[in-house]
Amino acid sequence: MNFIDSKLRQVTPEMAVQILKEHGTKVTIEEAKVVLDFMYKIGKLSVDQYVKI
């Protein structure tokens, strides 16, 4: 259910786990995948709304 091909994504779930860990939040790889999917979806919706596609 990815909006963007995983090959095009810059942030990997492993990177997200590390970044969140540095800020005091512990998540699993699976949870990081869900968070990243959500963030990419929100990002896409925001851009689409801004450009009115």
Side-chain angles (χ1 to χ4, degrees), residues 2-38:
N2 297 336
F3 276 87
I4 299 174
D5 185 7
S6 61
K7 296 175 191 172
L8 299 176
R9 291 185 176 195
Q10 300 275 329
V11 179
T12 65
E14 293 80 11
M15 290 171 62
V17 168
Q18 185 61 35
I19 292 167
L20 291 168
K21 183 179 179 183
E22 290 172 5
H23 293 278
T25 303
K26 293 181 182 180
V27 296
T28 66
I29 297 292
E30 291 303 315
E31 291 170 330
K33 288 178 184 178
V34 172
V35 169
L36 289 172
D37 282 343
F38 175 75

Side-chain angles (χ1 to χ4, degrees), residues 34-48:
V34 172
V35 169
L36 289 172
D37 282 343
F38 175 75
M39 290 177 63
Y40 276 100
K41 287 176 188 177
I42 293 298
K44 182 176 179 353
L45 289 171
S46 296
V47 171
D48 288 350

